[in-house]
Amino acid sequence: MKASTVALLRRFLEGGGIVIAADRAPDRVDGALSVEAAALARLPGWHPAADAAGQLALLSAFAAPRLRLAGDEAAAPSGIAHLRRELGDGSAFYFFANSRSARFDGTATLRGRRAELWNPLDGSATALDLSPDDAGSLTLDLALNASGSLLLRVYEEAPAALERSDARDAASTDPDRADTTASAVSAAAPVAQRLQPLQRRSDEAARRPVALSAPEIVPERDNVLPILHCDLYAGSKQYFGLHTVHAARFAFEHHGFENNPWDNAVQFKRRLLDREAAFDARSGITADYYFHVDSPDDVGPVRLELERPSCYRIAVNGIPVEAAPGTSRLDRHMGAADITRALRPGRNTIRLEGRPFSIRMELEPLYLFGQFAVAPNADGGWRLAANQPLGLGAWRDQGYPFYSDAVRYRHTFTLPDDASRVFMSAPSWHGSVISVTVDGEHAGLLGLERGDELGLTSLVRPGAVHTLDCRLSGTFRNLLGPHFDASKPRNIAWPGAWKRSPLEGPPPAEDYDLLSYGLLAPIEIWTIPR
């Protein structure tokens, strides 16, 4: 130990400081044997701890934690993370998140004298009925669904007579919304007992199912096929069946770059863009993308979307097409072109020819949109086929393997005359969120916290016919990838995941890593009679 460190520790301990030592006091100071450092251990504030458990016990004894979590397990709960941010007025925000695949029920003890539950979706803040203990701490029940979260604001000052927010009033007048909506506060039990209730499958014996009509299932947008592979011609070099991530790299390497500069370099001022002047008429690339069509008449209109269309001369089966920049909804640098008239049965070719070369010619996948089905192709990859109606089950298995938008599942139902409380459930589905409306009125969201039930009591009338609309949203994961990372990453992606794509392809359809988005089991509605 350095002599300066020994001196600082001695002054700290003599002034009443506490040191938790993970090992014995050192016997050398500045490399030489000395009793000065060992003498530190004889001062009152020196506390040795041989292991992490002992150190944690000492820390808890000398510095009471701002937050203590407890669950059903004997050990501290794992997978429950929190973020604390202190404000200038002394209050603090606590954001809790459950990263586990199962619901967490436990307690949280926080330093403070009053607390509010904040709803990030509508901005409401609900004062919680909590009383501090003698140590100035609040203890509340913490219920978090799998992937669930919760936002609190905790204040140091004593509780005052506070008005309840509109969210609390809504919870008290709609009992099943308090029991089933993850962001609501329970009216049936004190807030201190149940912050985020989502009482699932309660009163099982009393439940009575309500018959639903057969679903009307409608995709909101066109289907899509990404074309991920191409043949590349750069000077005298030819590459066949390259994944575009590798084709882009080879194209830039051919023109003097070490790699794709937009992927592996940082531009200083205009250093990359200024290299544009170095490319003459002899430079450039040609890329051929292939796709298969069963029958143009059955497939219907097809729209091509691509990046930087102004950089290329574009032809489909030898027929020139124009794609105006800024006409794609995917990206403002992309353009769209109607290629319906150029389609033919069997293999079709989209040629991009760019001469001279441009720093902006980063080869990327092409995208085909239309009212068609996407089916596996016998020679690898996929083909465009006649569209088929969607049913229950994964979209990828019904001709929509790359679809990234929303699908509406619409039912009608008649509520029994003796219905008292009414719930709906989506027992099995995969996507980002389900937005639920009843007769056009918003009922809530499923999926923000992986809850699978919503209360509908305030939106329905006994004896009436109602329309239930469930809008299931996918994500861009199946459309944009990564499609071929052997580790099959979930909930995370990084550039290397695309670079692990096979150099050549396209591979068989079954080799694509595609998630099973869709409604996998029927929607359910049930009532608890009066």
Side-chain angles (χ1 to χ4, degrees), residues 363-382:
L363 291 172
E364 294 282 358
L366 306 184
Y367 300 92
L368 303 180
F369 290 87
Q371 295 293 315
F372 46 69
V374 176
N377 188 52
D379 296 329
W382 307 82

Side-chain angles (χ1 to χ4, degrees), residues 296-349:
D297 293 337
D298 293 338
V299 165
V302 175
R303 183 176 73 258
L304 165 67
E305 297 192 10
L306 72 161
E307 290 201 26
R308 304 282 184 182
S310 59
C311 291
Y312 306 100
R313 289 185 293 276
I314 308 167
V316 179
N317 297 324
I319 300 174
V321 298
E322 295 290 335
T327 55
S328 167
R329 69 178 184 88
L330 291 178
D331 189 277
R332 64 188 180 91
H333 296 296
M334 297 180 66
D338 186 343
I339 63 170
T340 308
R341 65 185 180 90
L343 298 181
R344 63 189 183 195
R347 189 165 101 156
N348 291 251
T349 303

Side-chain angles (χ1 to χ4, degrees), residues 124-472:
S124 63
T126 304
L128 303 183
D129 293 333
L130 300 172
S131 298
D133 58 20
D134 294 338
S137 296
L138 302 169
T139 299
L140 49 97
D141 280 4
L142 188 65
L144 294 169
N145 287 312
S147 302
S149 60
L150 184 109
L151 180 62
L152 295 176
R153 187 174 183 181
V154 180
Y155 299 84
E156 293 289 345
E157 73 266 22
L162 301 171
E163 294 184 359
R164 296 299 184 255
S165 70
D166 292 341
R168 177 63 182 272
D169 295 337
S172 63
T173 57
D174 188 351
D176 60 58
R177 199 175 278 270
D179 286 342
T180 61
T181 305
S183 61
V185 178
S186 175
V191 178
Q193 294 179 354
R194 186 156 297 279
L195 251 183
Q196 196 173 349
L198 205 76
Q199 295 178 358
R200 299 166 64 179
R201 306 294 182 184
S202 58
D203 301 321
E204 188 77 29
R207 294 186 176 204
R208 182 180 302 171
V210 175
L212 294 171
S213 67
E216 177 188 352
I217 305 175
V218 181
E220 279 194 348
R221 292 186 181 269
D222 286 344
N223 201 1
V224 58
L225 170 65
I227 308 176
L228 307 179
H229 298 81
C230 67
D231 295 345
L232 173 65
Y233 304 89
S236 61
K237 295 184 178 180
Q238 302 178 23
Y239 308 88
F240 300 104
L242 290 178
H243 190 283
T244 53
V245 72
H246 304 301
R249 174 168 59 90
F250 290 152
F252 280 108
E253 287 177 356
H254 180 78
H255 291 89
F257 294 85
E258 293 183 1
N259 209 320
N260 180 345
W262 303 118
D263 180 43
N264 284 277
V266 176
Q267 178 174 227
F268 176 70
K269 294 186 177 180
R270 290 180 50 89
R271 183 166 295 174
L272 291 176
L273 294 174
D274 288 345
R275 294 185 64 172
E276 193 90 348
F279 306 127
D280 59 22
R282 296 170 297 174
S283 66
I285 57 173
T286 299
D288 287 341
Y289 294 75
Y290 304 103
F291 65 100
H292 290 74
V293 176
D294 281 357
S295 167
D297 293 337
D298 293 338
V299 165
V302 175
R303 183 176 73 258
L304 165 67
E305 297 192 10
L306 72 161
E307 290 201 26
R308 304 282 184 182
S310 59
C311 291
Y312 306 100
R313 289 185 293 276
I314 308 167
V316 179
N317 297 324
I319 300 174
V321 298
E322 295 290 335
T327 55
S328 167
R329 69 178 184 88
L330 291 178
D331 189 277
R332 64 188 180 91
H333 296 296
M334 297 180 66
D338 186 343
I339 63 170
T340 308
R341 65 185 180 90
L343 298 181
R344 63 189 183 195
R347 189 165 101 156
N348 291 251
T349 303
I350 300 173
R351 168 162 287 191
L352 307 184
E353 187 173 4
R355 301 188 188 282
F357 188 70
S358 169
I359 188 69
R360 295 177 174 85
M361 287 182 184
E362 183 183 21
L363 291 172
E364 294 282 358
L366 306 184
Y367 300 92
L368 303 180
F369 290 87
Q371 295 293 315
F372 46 69
V374 176
N377 188 52
D379 296 329
W382 307 82
R383 70 180 197 278
L384 303 186
N387 199 14
Q388 300 293 329
L390 280 176
L392 291 179
W395 303 339
R396 69 180 184 189
D397 302 327
Q398 303 180 71
Y400 282 69
F402 302 100
Y403 186 72
S404 62
D405 289 288
V407 172
R408 292 185 178 273
Y409 299 81
R410 182 170 297 155
H411 300 266
T412 58
F413 65 95
T414 302
L415 202 60
D417 292 332
D418 61 350
S420 174
R421 300 174 66 189
V422 183
F423 304 86
M424 68 82 59
S425 171
S428 181
W429 60 280
H430 196 179
S432 59
V433 68
I434 297 180
S435 176
V436 180
T437 62
V438 176
D439 300 332
E441 294 291 328
H442 182 66
L445 300 173
L446 297 175
L448 291 183
E449 295 174 335
R450 289 290 176 246
D452 68 351
E453 296 180 4
L454 281 177
L456 307 180
T457 305
S458 64
L459 301 174
V460 295
R461 299 189 313 278
V465 179
H466 297 283
T467 299
L468 177 74
D469 198 330
C470 298
R471 181 180 183 270
L472 196 162

Side-chain angles (χ1 to χ4, degrees), residues 69 73 75-83 95-105 142 144-149:
L69 291 177
E73 308 94 341
S78 62
I80 308 300
H82 82 280
L83 182 69
F95 179 76
F96 296 92
N98 179 10
S99 63
R100 308 194 301 186
S101 59
R103 177 185 169 111
F104 170 78
D105 288 285
L142 188 65
L144 294 169
N145 287 312
S147 302
S149 60

